Amino acid sequence: MFFLPLSPTSLASLAAPALSYSGNLWAWSPQVRIEHRVVISESSNLLLQAGILDPVSAEAVEASFDRLPTHGEQSGQPAYAARVAWSDRVFGQQMTVGIGGYYGRQNWGFGRTIDGWIGSTDLTLPLESYSHFAVNFIEAERWEALAAL
């Protein structure tokens, strides 16, 4: 997801094989996004991103041939996301600081809806010429409804 650019990946896995969802089209979250990069100086830029996504939920898709809409899709509106990031060169490597956000609604029927949001901060700092430190900070409301992220 573009609003959480430092999502962890690992070849060590237990329940699902590593990278197993990469070729599964039913596990992807469709999204349309726009990006604009503003050049501030020769080594510095500002990245603006915004998009709409298929609302996600922690529901598993039972069968790809007879798929029913998830509770997020039943809300009748897309999820919204945005991110702003500033990058500059430090020690010959890219340093990036970004903030992002996500909002999605789920409709559970009988007038019950859940609004969930995520606010995130990401930071990538070069330590030396061949290593770096990367971290995401996330604050969320109704995060259990967004567990698929």
Side-chain angles (χ1 to χ4, degrees):
M1 303 285 173
F2 69 91
F3 57 94
L4 292 169
L6 301 178
S7 296
T9 57
S10 174
L11 294 177
S13 57
L14 296 174
L19 309 173
S20 64
Y21 288 102
S22 62
N24 183 354
L25 295 177
W26 297 109
W28 291 3
S29 181
Q31 58 182 294
V32 175
R33 71 176 190 208
I34 59 171
E35 260 184 34
H36 182 66
R37 193 172 303 266
V38 179
V39 177
I40 297 172
S41 70
E42 188 175 304
S43 64
S44 176
N45 66 62
L46 186 68
L47 177 63
L48 308 169
Q49 298 173 303
I52 57 175
L53 301 86
D54 185 24
V56 297
S57 63
E59 301 167 82
V61 176
E62 297 294 326
S64 60
F65 57 86
D66 188 23
R67 187 178 177 283
L68 298 173
T70 65
H71 294 292
E73 293 166 339
Q74 290 178 24
S75 71
Q77 70 179 30
Y80 310 97
R83 180 171 177 262
V84 177
W86 173 72
S87 296
D88 203 350
R89 307 273 310 160
V90 176
F91 303 123
Q93 292 186 42
Q94 199 73 13
M95 175 193 74
T96 304
V97 177
I99 59 171
Y102 169 92
Y103 168 79
R105 173 172 284 172
Q106 295 182 10
N107 180 356
W108 289 81
F110 304 108
R112 296 175 301 159
T113 60
I114 296 176
D115 292 332
W117 59 265
I118 293 176
S120 68
T121 302
D122 57 274
L123 174 65
T124 304
L125 293 172
L127 298 177
E128 298 175 4
S129 58
Y130 295 106
S131 63
H132 68 275
F133 172 77
V135 64
N136 259 347
F137 297 103
I138 299 172
E139 175 68 31
E141 177 71 29
R142 298 284 188 198
W143 64 270
E144 61 276 356
L146 306 169
L149 295 175

